[in-house]
Amino acid sequence: MLKSEIELLRSVPLFSGIEPARLKLIAYTSDQVAYRAGQVLCRQGDPGDAAYVLTEGEADVSIATEAGDYVVAHLKTGDVVGEIAILCDVPRTATVTAKTRLSALRIRKDAFLQLVTQLPEIGTEVMRGLADEGRTMILVTHEIAFARDVSSQVIYLHQGVVEESGTPADVLDNPRSERLRQFLAPKH
């Protein structure tokens, strides 16, 4: 089984440039987990304790809004999910629910952070992947222009709770929440 997990990791863009010995270590220290359709892998607001690499099946990523749950992404075999909560040390930003029978490699937070620390290209690849999917996290104010350019939707979270969502123009040019207005205000 370890060999097939290593081959799967190699096919994931996030891990494609990593040497085989490190891939073997990732696969060995990961947990193989399985879910039935409708079962939740991780829930919005929960602590980010692991990232998941889907090895089989599909899942939906949704966020809770006042109007109800909103599906923001669909995942398939080879996709990685859960990295935002780990990298930003925030609660889960979304709920991930198995759409079909699903298998995944669960990479614990400490192992994932060690990878990012030892291999900075993984951090770069995570940000590139988020941007390619049209999902961008605004980590610091100088990335706001980047969010405007590459995103079709911006979600402003505070402690894992959605405060605002919409097009970049709606959210960034006309913020409704006082917290976001303060965040976007010029710093002197």
Side-chain angles (χ1 to χ4, degrees), residues 12 66 132:
V12 174
E66 290 179 7
D132 287 347

Side-chain angles (χ1 to χ4, degrees), residues 38-177:
Q39 204 171 7
V40 173
L41 281 73
C42 55
R43 190 170 306 281
Q44 182 177 336
D46 285 353
D49 60 349
Y52 298 84
V53 179
L54 276 61
T55 57
E56 179 185 337
E58 298 177 16
D60 285 331
V61 179
S62 61
I63 58 169
T65 68
E66 290 179 7
D69 289 351
Y70 178 73
V71 176
V72 295
H74 301 283
L75 304 174
K76 62 188 180 328
T77 300
D79 285 341
V80 179
V81 68
E83 70 282 13
I84 293 172
I86 290 175
L87 291 173
C88 299
D89 200 25
V90 296
R92 298 276 184 201
T93 58
T95 297
V96 179
T97 307
K99 190 173 181 178
T100 64
R101 196 177 76 112
L102 184 142
S103 297
L105 287 178
R106 183 178 181 275
I107 304 172
R108 289 184 307 279
K109 181 178 182 174
D110 57 337
F112 193 86
L113 288 174
Q114 186 175 14
L115 277 173
V116 171
T117 303
Q118 293 177 354
L119 303 167
E121 62 270 20
I122 288 184
T124 302
E125 197 59 43
V126 168
M127 291 304 288
R128 183 175 290 124
L130 292 172
D132 287 347
E133 295 170 11
R135 293 183 289 153
T136 303
M137 278 198 76
I138 300 171
L139 301 176
V140 293
T141 54
H142 72 271
E143 293 175 341
I144 291 173
F146 178 71
R148 285 181 208 271
D149 293 343
V150 302
S151 299
S152 58
Q153 171 126 6
V154 174
I155 301 167
Y156 178 71
L157 302 162
H158 178 69
Q159 296 181 342
V161 176
V162 176
E163 285 201 0
E164 294 194 43
S165 66
T167 66
D170 290 341
V171 175
L172 301 174
D173 296 339
N174 303 302
R176 294 184 312 273
S177 77

Side-chain angles (χ1 to χ4, degrees), residues 2 22-31 106-108 111:
L2 189 61
R22 287 191 191 262
L23 288 176
K24 186 175 183 179
L25 182 61
I26 294 167
Y28 184 75
T29 60
S30 300
D31 300 314
R106 183 178 181 275
I107 304 172
R108 289 184 307 279

